Amino acid sequence: MRIGELSQRSGVAVPTIKYYLRERLLDPGRPTATNQADYGDDHLRRLRLIRALIEVGGVSVSSARSVIEAIGGDQLDPFDLLGVAHDAVTPKRHPSRETEGWTAARERAGQFVTDRGWMVHPFSPGIDLLADVLAAVESLNVVEIGDNLDKYADAAQSIAGTEVTSVLARRETDNMLELVVLGTVLGESLFNALRLLAHQHESAVQIGFDPAKLGQS
Amino acid sequence: MRIGELSQRSGVAVPTIKYYLRERLLDPGRPTATNQADYGDDHLRRLRLIRALIEVGGVSVSSARSVIEAIGGDQLDPFDLLGVAHDAVTPKRHPSRETEGWTAARERAGQFVTDRGWMVHPFSPGIDLLADVLAAVESLNVVEIGDNLDKYADAAQSIAGTEVTSVLARRETDNMLELVVLGTVLGESLFNALRLLAHQHESAVQIGFDPAKLGQS
């Protein structure tokens, strides 16, 4: 198919497809004439994957490239790929961690993980991210978030358990790899969207609030 | 206190504080000498709030400004503020929604919310975000995510219920407003961090995998 059809079927604008080609996220098409190329179903599927990662999941172009290389390479087992997928969804910006409060929060985060009995690498970046939130919560004295920590962890563990079970139920390694990545990235966007909707519903339930009032929010 | 002390106590670098002053996220200090100003505890707390929103929560500078204006203004009730908070955490980038697949996904998303009995505004952007994920899932044929939709929704509802209950337990409106915002923004970062950690744990549990292998991931 021509680039126009590729754009129409994938929902990605032609200039964006050209950008992904320049960034080598997408392999070049087969040249057919000067300035024209032919694209196949592999290109379409790859483009849908790129779109899911970048436009739906909010993954950066460079992280998306790492993910795609990892899926394409045969060397990685699902756990190495889980590392790549986690890296893709881990925010690159993070607050200064050189404050006294952060060091204390990092200790509490590590202790929390230990207390839950979670088998997690002691230098996992997830613990640092948890400490970022705990330090902010502490500095602003938002006690409720700290008090609810176990409820957040229960929900996270329930989702993660479901996700890992789904990956293991797949038979072929190829499919498994893609699901690790897509589950990690799209699962996060999915949960965040549902949480916003559930906020509206719970506000309505708990105080008889008319959701129509929330308008476009 | 001088700007240096404000920086040390807040964990925000001096150039960043100056940027927030220019962007009017932070009120100017009391001038004491040419090019010097004195900052108080109100500045410190405001700066911690800005840091929590932008550096921990990933909110944009312009969304942070809206949030701060909303907290400062007395007109808003908690539900209007929930709208502002939701807007702050709603990704600004989004995929093209002009494809056939998206329209069908938007219908499924609306139906899903109705089937759950969620009292939600029918034009809520959360439904559009849900449709973005469902359209991506469908285009890539990742059936597992669709199959697990109710489990994601159960977990989201459990967290949202806890969060709304905490807000309502606060007595003073001022505190309530801040918790709506911080709960929405920091709660998202918190859940996402815990989910990544729980992935490692569940991988370890379900396949006897050694978490040390995950290394820095």
Side-chain angles (χ1 to χ4, degrees):
Chain A
M1 70 192 95
R2 296 269 188 85
I3 197 166
E5 188 185 343
L6 188 65
S7 164
Q8 204 184 357
R9 292 183 61 188
S10 63
V12 179
V14 170
T16 309
I17 295 178
K18 289 183 174 168
Y19 170 68
Y20 294 154
L21 284 165
R22 282 197 305 276
E23 291 289 325
R24 301 203 199 173
L25 287 172
L26 192 65
D27 289 333
R30 195 173 51 89
T32 52
T34 315
N35 282 329
Q36 285 202 359
D38 187 56
Y39 299 90
D41 284 344
D42 283 355
H43 287 96
L44 179 58
R45 186 171 171 84
R46 166 64 61 86
L47 199 50
R48 286 174 171 162
L49 177 63
I50 296 167
R51 181 178 193 264
L53 293 172
I54 295 178
E55 299 179 26
V56 180
V59 165
S60 72
V61 168
S62 68
S63 291
R65 191 187 293 112
S66 307
V67 165
I68 285 166
E69 283 168 5
I71 293 180
D74 293 326
Q75 315 89 325
L76 292 181
D77 65 25
F79 313 106
D80 291 328
L81 196 69
L82 184 59
V84 175
H86 279 185
D87 189 59
V89 295
T90 298
K92 294 304 169 280
R93 45 118 189 116
H94 62 75
S96 160
R97 290 169 174 166
E98 288 171 21
T99 62
E100 251 178 61
W102 193 82
T103 310
R106 179 61 176 74
E107 269 183 40
R108 281 203 309 285
Q111 191 60 50
F112 178 77
V113 167
T114 306
D115 290 348
R116 296 258 335 166
W118 278 359
M119 287 180 277
V120 164
H121 192 284
F123 298 127
S124 173
I127 305 180
D128 293 340
L129 295 174
L130 179 57
D132 290 343
V133 177
L134 295 183
V137 160
E138 178 79 13
S139 78
L140 291 160
N141 199 25
V142 197
V143 291
E144 289 87 346
I145 295 181
D147 290 347
N148 292 334
L149 209 49
D150 267 309
K151 291 192 178 168
Y152 283 97
D154 290 344
Q157 192 165 353
S158 151
I159 289 298
T162 300
E163 289 171 331
V164 171
T165 304
S166 289
V167 168
L168 295 178
R170 283 209 174 179
R171 295 297 167 84
E172 293 162 47
T173 313
D174 268 12
N175 290 333
M176 209 183 262
L177 296 180
E178 203 181 78
L179 183 57
V180 169
V181 166
L182 289 173
T184 301
V185 174
L186 294 179
E188 181 171 301
S189 299
L190 178 61
F191 182 87
N192 294 339
L194 289 168
R195 175 171 166 264
L196 297 187
L197 292 167
H199 269 169
Q200 291 185 33
H201 172 67
E202 287 294 331
S203 301
V205 168
Q206 295 194 31
I207 34 176
F209 162 68
D210 177 3
K213 259 205 82 178
L214 262 175
Q216 295 292 319
S217 73
Chain B
M1 71 192 93
R2 297 267 188 83
I3 197 168
E5 188 184 343
L6 187 65
S7 165
Q8 203 184 357
R9 292 182 62 187
S10 64
V12 179
V14 170
T16 309
I17 295 178
K18 289 182 174 169
Y19 171 66
Y20 293 154
L21 284 164
R22 283 197 305 276
E23 291 288 326
R24 300 201 200 174
L25 287 173
L26 191 64
D27 289 333
R30 194 171 52 89
T32 52
T34 315
N35 282 329
Q36 284 200 359
D38 188 56
Y39 299 90
D41 285 344
D42 282 356
H43 288 96
L44 180 58
R45 188 171 169 83
R46 166 65 59 87
L47 198 50
R48 285 174 171 159
L49 177 63
I50 296 168
R51 182 181 194 263
L53 293 171
I54 295 177
E55 300 180 25
V56 181
V59 165
S60 71
V61 167
S62 67
S63 291
R65 191 187 292 111
S66 308
V67 165
I68 285 167
E69 282 168 5
I71 293 181
D74 293 327
Q75 315 89 323
L76 291 182
D77 66 23
F79 312 106
D80 290 329
L81 196 68
L82 184 59
V84 175
H86 279 185
D87 190 58
V89 295
T90 299
K92 293 303 168 281
R93 44 120 190 115
H94 63 76
S96 159
R97 289 168 174 167
E98 287 170 21
T99 63
E100 249 178 62
W102 194 82
T103 310
R106 179 63 176 72
E107 269 182 38
R108 281 204 309 284
Q111 191 60 48
F112 178 77
V113 166
T114 306
D115 290 346
R116 296 255 339 163
W118 279 359
M119 288 180 277
V120 163
H121 192 285
F123 297 128
S124 173
I127 304 179
D128 293 339
L129 294 175
L130 179 57
D132 291 342
V133 178
L134 295 183
V137 161
E138 179 79 15
S139 78
L140 290 160
N141 198 25
V142 197
V143 291
E144 289 87 346
I145 295 180
D147 290 347
N148 291 334
L149 209 50
D150 267 310
K151 293 193 176 170
Y152 283 97
D154 289 344
Q157 191 165 355
S158 152
I159 289 298
T162 300
E163 289 170 333
V164 171
T165 303
S166 289
V167 167
L168 296 177
R170 284 209 174 179
R171 297 295 168 83
E172 296 162 46
T173 312
D174 268 12
N175 290 333
M176 209 182 264
L177 296 180
E178 202 180 80
L179 184 57
V180 170
V181 167
L182 288 174
T184 301
V185 174
L186 293 180
E188 181 171 303
S189 299
L190 179 62
F191 183 86
N192 293 341
L194 289 169
R195 174 172 168 263
L196 297 188
L197 291 167
H199 268 168
Q200 290 186 34
H201 173 66
E202 287 294 332
S203 300
V205 168
Q206 296 193 31
I207 31 172
F209 162 65
D210 177 3
K213 257 207 85 181
L214 261 174
Q216 295 291 318
S217 74

